Amino acid sequence: MLMGFAIETDDLRKELGGRPVIRGCSLQVPEGSVYGFIGPNGAGKTTVMRLLLRVLKADSGSIRMLGHDMNSDPRRALAKTGAFVESPALYEHLTARGNLDLTRRLLGLPESEIDRVLDVTGMARHAARKVRDYSLGMRQRVGLARALLGKPELLLLDEPTNGLDPEGISEMRELIRDLPDRIGATVFVSSHLLSEVEQVASHAGLLREGQLVMQGRMQSLLASERTLVVGTDKPKEAITLLTAAGHTVRFGGSHQLAITCSRGSEFADFAQRINTSLVESGIGVSELREESRSLEDLYKTAAGTGLKGEAA
Amino acid sequence: MIQLIRTEIAKLGGSLALLFALVVPALTSCLALLTIVVNERQSSWEMILGGFTLPLWVLFIFPMATATFATLCAQIEYRAKAWDHLLALPYPRWQLFAAKAIVVQGALMLMTVLLFVYTYGLISLAGWIIGEMPSGNPQVARIADSSVRFLAAGLLLTVIQLWVALRFANFVIPLAVGIAGTLVGLAVTMVGTEDADWFPWVLTLRASGEDWMQPVLIGLTGGIIAIGLMLLDLSRRAPR
């Protein structure tokens, strides 16, 4: 079955203060997906969000959102889009319910919508408190609740886990992961943490210095090269054994080896095979884990793979 | 548009801007009461309302209140970092800013009405307590007429203040503009020159006097042109 795109941009470009901030961004966000928009701080993620929402106008390139051309017909797409950019913009002198009510009125929604989104985000109990008394996590939830008003077909969330404690991050992650099933929305979520996106997204795109350097299914990204770290009491013997078996091995520490797994999707089997072969050769294994990957690693991988433009 | 205006009004609930709008006319009324208390001669309603309260309001309190109220309204958005959210709503941008302008102008009208209601109430209460009411009638029609004229002439001033307040995230800038404008207005009035009759901060005082036609025309026409330019500028720039 052919899948449409909730967001489709073509070579977006934007200069701010005479400096090119977005230098070619062609997104393809499949309908019904959770699309992780990854990039380091300053890569231009928030600017792309602003361009998508028409808060900023692109210097060149085109945007189609939910089937509407954002140059000629932005309001029809925006009416079906919920968003929070950078931080949940909330009026501190109002309660959560008061804040939600402002947006509800502007979107012409019934009052019951407020209760629905408060339930979805688990904020119903605290809705009568003023926002100034909220923790950052609660503000993020109210921001998400507001984005959910009117059951939008598309959600744009800019770093929704920013500033949250580990428990808050975990809850927000679950909430985002379930959104396509719960309200049938496509979710476009930005983050500078690869590990965050990895856990919620079905698709991902990598932005670097204003350029989309790769995008595709999360599986495809994960299928790229990964590294297994092995702690052992006999590192020299282990290197000899593994190198002879055709593996790429380097020292990762005094008693640690780093072994490259070229097929990331088969990483679990690979780790098991390495462990078995070492133990069967009488080499003790004290640690077996994946080396955490940085965005930089992924960019390097992207340069060597043809993942760009493989979204659907 | 109606929904936008209602939302702007709802936003004021519990805000510093609302508190300011309610308190400033009351403080001005208290000043009027003080002048009665220290004045040994019997006062008249005409002197209290037309001779003291209205000139004080028009010359000094109103322009300062306009600057502060416009700044507080704009800061509601800036403090909440709400511009991205507002501008991403499915509304034409000019309507978002026009709704704000309508609410600010409406609030200034309400503050003027409150000023006379408070003053009348406070003076009446004081007169009832000491057993001596001011002489004459409050002359509501004349006060209302003067108020409508100076508010119309004040449109240009209001738009300038709101424009600057919405345009700059730093609240010092619109307040500085308001203070500078008010001081220049005061200086022009004290010197008695007619060379600066066009100055927005002078128009309100001129409009509440006998020769009101020209200042009202300048204030209204200038205000309408300024609001058009403001909507155009803010829609294109998008505040952050």
Side-chain angles (χ1 to χ4, degrees), chain B residues 12 47 63 193 199:
Chain B
L12 291 177
M47 192 275 285
T193 176
F199 192 62

Side-chain angles (χ1 to χ4, degrees), chain A residues 50 54-55 89 91 93 106, chain B residues 11 13 77 84 91 93 240:
Chain A
R50 288 198 169 106
R54 295 283 293 163
V55 172
Y91 302 106
H93 62 283
L106 292 175
Chain B
K11 247 181 236 176
E77 309 301 347
D84 281 355
Y91 281 89
R93 286 186 179 184
R240 291 279 305 275

Side-chain angles (χ1 to χ4, degrees), chain A residues 50 53-56 75 78-79 83 85-94 102-103 105-107 132 146, chain B residues 3-4 6-7 10-15 76-77 80-82 84-93 238 240:
Chain A
R50 288 198 169 106
L53 291 165
R54 295 283 293 163
V55 172
L56 290 177
R75 287 203 286 280
L78 291 175
V85 180
E86 247 185 346
S87 60
L90 300 170
Y91 302 106
E92 301 215 333
H93 62 283
L94 299 177
L102 294 178
T103 307
R105 286 176 195 222
L106 292 175
L107 297 176
R132 71 165 71 100
R146 185 169 58 189
Chain B
Q3 276 303 347
L4 281 169
R6 289 172 71 174
T7 306
K11 247 181 236 176
L12 291 177
S15 70
I76 288 177
E77 309 301 347
K81 295 179 182 169
D84 281 355
H85 168 68
L86 285 175
L87 297 173
L89 287 168
Y91 281 89
R93 286 186 179 184
R240 291 279 305 275

Side-chain angles (χ1 to χ4, degrees), chain B residues 21-44:
Chain B
L22 295 175
V23 166
V24 166
L27 290 176
T28 314
S29 301
C30 289
L31 276 176
L33 180 67
L34 275 175
T35 56
I36 306 298
V37 171
V38 297
N39 192 352
E40 290 177 355
R41 287 183 300 169
Q42 193 197 19
S43 304
S44 67

Side-chain angles (χ1 to χ4, degrees), chain A:
Chain A
M1 192 181 82
L2 274 176
M3 191 182 276
F5 295 115
I7 302 172
E8 199 171 6
T9 68
D10 182 31
D11 198 26
L12 277 186
R13 287 171 190 274
K14 178 72 184 172
E15 277 191 13
L16 289 173
R19 194 175 64 90
V21 178
I22 303 302
R23 303 181 304 143
C25 180
S26 300
L27 290 165
Q28 289 187 324
V29 179
E31 283 174 4
S33 65
V34 175
Y35 187 103
F37 191 43
I38 318 165
N41 291 328
K45 301 185 294 296
T46 302
T47 305
V48 170
M49 290 264 192
R50 288 198 169 106
L51 291 172
L52 293 176
L53 291 165
R54 295 283 293 163
V55 172
L56 290 177
K57 201 175 174 201
D59 296 334
S60 65
S62 64
I63 303 171
R64 280 189 77 78
M65 242 162 64
L66 301 170
H68 303 287
D69 180 359
M70 293 299 281
N71 271 328
S72 58
D73 193 15
R75 287 203 286 280
R76 284 173 69 184
L78 291 175
K80 296 184 275 185
T81 303
F84 81 72
V85 180
E86 247 185 346
S87 60
L90 300 170
Y91 302 106
E92 301 215 333
H93 62 283
L94 299 177
T95 62
R97 186 174 287 277
N99 269 281
L100 295 172
D101 195 47
L102 294 178
T103 307
R104 176 197 70 78
R105 286 176 195 222
L106 292 175
L107 297 176
L109 302 168
E111 278 193 56
S112 57
E113 255 307 277
I114 296 178
D115 295 316
R116 185 187 71 80
V117 295
L118 285 170
D119 277 343
V120 171
T121 52
M123 282 300 292
R125 277 189 305 129
H126 312 287
R129 280 170 57 192
K130 290 203 170 162
V131 167
R132 71 165 71 100
D133 300 327
Y134 282 0
S135 66
L136 186 58
M138 291 163 90
R139 286 165 196 244
Q140 299 284 80
R141 280 166 175 271
V142 178
L144 181 61
R146 185 169 58 189
L148 291 172
L149 280 169
K151 297 183 183 165
E153 291 174 30
L154 175 64
L155 268 173
L156 302 182
L157 307 175
D158 190 16
E159 306 257 7
T161 55
N162 242 6
L164 297 184
D165 57 22
E167 194 184 348
I169 289 174
S170 165
E171 286 173 7
M172 185 62 85
R173 200 187 289 148
E174 262 177 53
L175 211 56
I176 292 169
R177 196 190 292 133
D178 293 345
L179 282 174
D181 291 334
R182 287 178 82 160
I183 63 166
T186 304
V187 183
F188 183 81
V189 54
S190 78
S191 177
H192 62 277
L193 299 171
L194 176 63
S195 56
E196 272 306 308
V197 170
E198 206 174 342
Q199 294 182 60
V200 296
S202 58
H203 294 71
L206 263 73
L207 192 74
R208 185 189 201 189
E209 292 171 3
Q211 276 186 306
L212 192 73
V213 292
M214 70 194 283
Q215 72 177 332
R217 291 171 190 273
M218 204 70 221
Q219 275 177 331
S220 307
L221 293 174
L222 294 177
S224 57
E225 201 172 85
R226 294 162 84 172
T227 304
L228 177 70
V229 175
V230 177
T232 175
D233 55 346
K234 297 172 183 168
K236 282 183 184 169
E237 288 87 336
I239 283 188
T240 309
L241 178 77
L242 294 170
T243 309
H247 295 292
T248 307
V249 187
R250 61 181 161 84
F251 273 111
S254 59
H255 285 87
Q256 277 184 341
L257 304 177
I259 308 149
T260 304
C261 169
S262 55
R263 290 184 177 179
S265 57
E266 296 168 12
F267 185 76
D269 289 342
F270 175 80
Q272 196 175 357
R273 283 203 309 275
I274 295 288
N275 187 35
T276 306
S277 69
L278 289 173
V279 172
E280 283 177 353
S281 307
I283 299 169
V285 175
S286 57
E287 182 188 14
L288 209 59
R289 65 173 169 84
E290 183 183 0
E291 187 177 67
S292 59
R293 289 172 299 166
S294 65
L295 279 178
E296 207 53 42
D297 296 332
L298 261 189
Y299 295 137
K300 282 176 193 164
T301 310
T305 58
L307 282 169
K308 192 167 182 176
E310 209 188 273

